[in-house]
Amino acid sequence: MTDTELTVLLKQGDQGAFTHIYNTHWKLLFRTAYHILQDHTTAQDIVQNVFISLWQRRGEATILNLKAYLQQATRFGVFKAIRKLKHDQMFFDRLAQVTVDIITDNPLLFKEQQQLIKNLVDTLPEECKETFRLSREENMTYKQIAALLDISEKTVEKRLSKSLKHLRQGLSLGMCITILTVITGR
C-alpha cells in the first residue's frame, strides 16, 4: 500500500493501517530524534508521542505527504524537548548567578533564599520531593533514580519537571518579596 492509501484508511480509523504506518516509519523517526538529542529515552518518548498524536488527530489532520508529516512532527517534538531542557538549564544558571551575587553582596538575603528554597521543596508532593532531593542533593541521574524508586525514567523526568515548575513560580514571587524586605530593612 502507498502512504496515500494508508492515510485514507487511517482517517477512517483503520488500526491495521496505523500499525503498518508505525512499523514502516518508527525507526526513521527515532533515528532523527536520537541523532539530534543523543538521548535514547527522550527520542523514544518523542516518537511515541508523534504516533499517539497521529492516531488521536487522524480524523482532523490534513496529511498530504505522510513521511514529511511524521518527520515534521518529530522535529517539532525534538525542538520542544530542547526548549524545555534549555529553559530548565537557563533557570538554574540564573539562580546560580543570583546566588553568587547574594552571597557576596548580602548574606542575610542568601539565608532568606536558602530558607525559601527549603520551604518550597518541603511543600512538594512526597514523590516529587524525594525525586528532587535524589537528583539535586545526591546528584543521581534519571536512570539511577528510576532504578532506585522502581519507576520509569519518564516518571522521574515528569516529577522533576513538576518540581522545577513549582520552584520557579515560588522563587519568582518569594525572591521578589525577600529582596524588597531586605532592601527596605523590614
Side-chain angles (χ1 to χ4, degrees):
M1 271 191 210
T2 67
D3 279 353
T4 304
E5 293 169 329
L6 288 168
T7 303
V8 170
L9 291 172
L10 176 68
K11 242 187 200 314
Q12 297 169 355
D14 187 312
Q15 291 180 352
F18 176 78
T19 301
H20 185 76
I21 291 168
Y22 177 87
N23 290 334
T24 302
H25 295 280
W26 78 267
K27 198 178 283 188
L28 172 66
L29 300 179
F30 173 79
R31 279 195 307 252
T32 300
Y34 183 78
H35 177 72
I36 298 168
L37 296 170
Q38 298 296 307
D39 182 305
H40 192 268
T41 303
T42 305
Q44 279 182 321
D45 290 343
I46 288 168
V47 173
Q48 183 72 23
N49 289 336
V50 166
F51 282 106
I52 289 170
S53 176
L54 177 66
W55 179 254
Q56 289 174 338
R57 299 184 65 230
R58 68 189 177 275
E60 63 193 54
T62 303
I63 302 172
L64 303 175
N65 180 327
L66 181 61
K67 183 177 179 181
Y69 177 88
L70 293 172
Q71 287 179 324
Q72 184 61 32
T74 302
R75 282 191 294 274
F76 176 76
V78 167
F79 293 138
K80 188 175 171 185
I82 290 170
R83 204 169 39 245
K84 181 182 178 299
L85 292 171
K86 184 178 179 184
H87 187 277
D88 286 347
Q89 187 56 50
M90 285 172 45
F91 168 74
F92 279 106
D93 291 347
R94 284 192 315 271
L95 182 60
Q97 184 56 50
V98 166
T99 302
V100 168
D101 293 344
I102 289 171
I103 290 171
T104 56
D105 294 343
N106 193 328
L108 179 59
L109 195 55
F110 177 67
K111 281 184 176 182
E112 289 288 330
Q113 181 191 33
Q114 284 182 313
Q115 188 60 45
L116 177 60
I117 292 171
K118 182 187 178 308
N119 291 344
L120 287 169
V121 169
D122 287 343
T123 62
L124 289 168
E126 198 56 44
E127 67 277 356
C128 290
K129 186 185 320 182
E130 181 178 19
T131 304
F132 182 82
R133 287 195 170 133
L134 290 171
S135 171
R136 297 304 189 250
E137 293 173 13
E138 303 296 325
N139 295 318
M140 295 176 73
T141 65
Y142 285 15
K143 191 173 197 165
Q144 291 169 328
I145 295 169
L148 179 69
L149 299 179
D150 195 29
I151 57 177
S152 72
E153 287 182 51
K154 184 70 173 175
T155 301
V156 171
E157 180 183 344
K158 285 181 182 178
R159 287 181 182 178
L160 286 175
S161 179
K162 182 178 180 179
S163 299
L164 293 173
K165 181 178 179 185
H166 177 74
L167 288 174
R168 271 193 299 273
Q169 291 170 341
L171 283 171
S172 295
L173 176 60
M175 284 306 292
C176 288
I177 293 169
T178 301
I179 290 169
L180 287 173
T181 302
V182 171
I183 289 171
T184 60
R186 294 186 183 157

